[in-house]
Amino acid sequence: SENDYSLGLVATYGNFTFATFGDLDGEYATSEFGYEYNNVEASVIKRLGGADVYNVNHHGSSHSSNAAFLKALLPSVSIISCGKNNTYGHPAQPVLDRLQAINSTVLLTEDGNPKAEYGRALVTNHDIVITVSADTRTYTVESGYFYAKFVSKGAKQPRCEV
């Protein structure tokens, strides 16, 4: 799958860390369309030191954001970008369940999968704005009617050499 070639980014600003990895896959599987997925998340785990905010891999697809990957990140906030009533079923229920199991605040840009049980996740139908305080010890997340303040984890990222 071309998803296995996704670029990832971990951006650190003082104590605050944002992580995004495109359409990265987290399991070995073959889709109904013949795509072969590989667990690339497993190779990324050793390069992660945690994140405050996580832009959820592959719109919350069933073959991404596996439990080990999420345990390494332990994001306080997880954002799922998905299209309304998309034909792919994003986000998948197991991903929503895994995010809520680690007590991440989950925000979705739209109601992507009408069959999903969103639980505590919030469908915002708005842009999601993250603002980091000048001292980087706190950050706010807001979207439409949602507003919350969080304390930055100050996660240390491992030194990676290529």
Side-chain angles (χ1 to χ4, degrees):
S1 165
E2 68 264 7
N3 297 330
D4 293 339
Y5 301 106
S6 290
L7 292 176
L9 172 71
V10 177
T12 301
Y13 174 60
N15 292 314
F16 177 80
T17 302
F18 175 82
T20 184
F21 302 96
D23 286 352
L24 203 66
D25 294 322
E27 73 173 4
Y28 294 102
T30 302
S31 78
E32 63 185 274
F33 306 107
Y35 296 124
E36 291 187 17
Y37 301 117
N38 295 286
N39 187 0
V40 181
E41 290 176 349
S43 66
V44 172
I45 289 173
K46 61 187 169 215
R47 295 176 173 93
L48 298 177
D52 293 299
V53 178
Y54 166 49
N55 185 47
V56 177
N57 294 348
H58 202 141
H59 316 284
S61 133
S62 63
H63 52 83
S64 65
S65 300
N66 68 45
F69 185 79
L70 292 177
K71 185 178 177 185
L73 273 183
L74 285 177
S76 297
V77 178
S78 297
I79 298 171
I80 302 175
S81 176
C82 56
K84 185 169 180 66
N85 298 326
N86 64 77
T87 58
Y88 300 102
H90 299 334
Q93 189 66 53
V95 173
L96 290 165
D97 295 343
R98 287 192 291 268
L99 290 167
Q100 292 189 43
I102 61 168
N103 293 317
S104 187
T105 297
V106 180
L107 301 172
L108 293 94
T109 56
E110 292 189 270
D111 185 3
N113 181 356
K115 295 177 183 174
E117 294 291 329
Y118 288 108
R120 297 182 314 272
L122 298 171
V123 178
T124 67
N125 292 316
H126 288 89
D127 291 338
I128 298 170
V129 178
I130 303 160
T131 306
V132 181
S133 65
D135 66 6
T136 72
R137 292 184 185 148
T138 62
Y139 60 98
T140 59
V141 179
E142 57 187 303
S143 182
Y145 56 86
F146 177 83
Y147 176 90
K149 186 174 184 177
F150 297 86
V151 175
S152 299
K153 294 179 178 186
K156 302 295 182 214
Q157 302 303 320
R159 186 172 181 85
C160 296
E161 296 183 21
V162 180

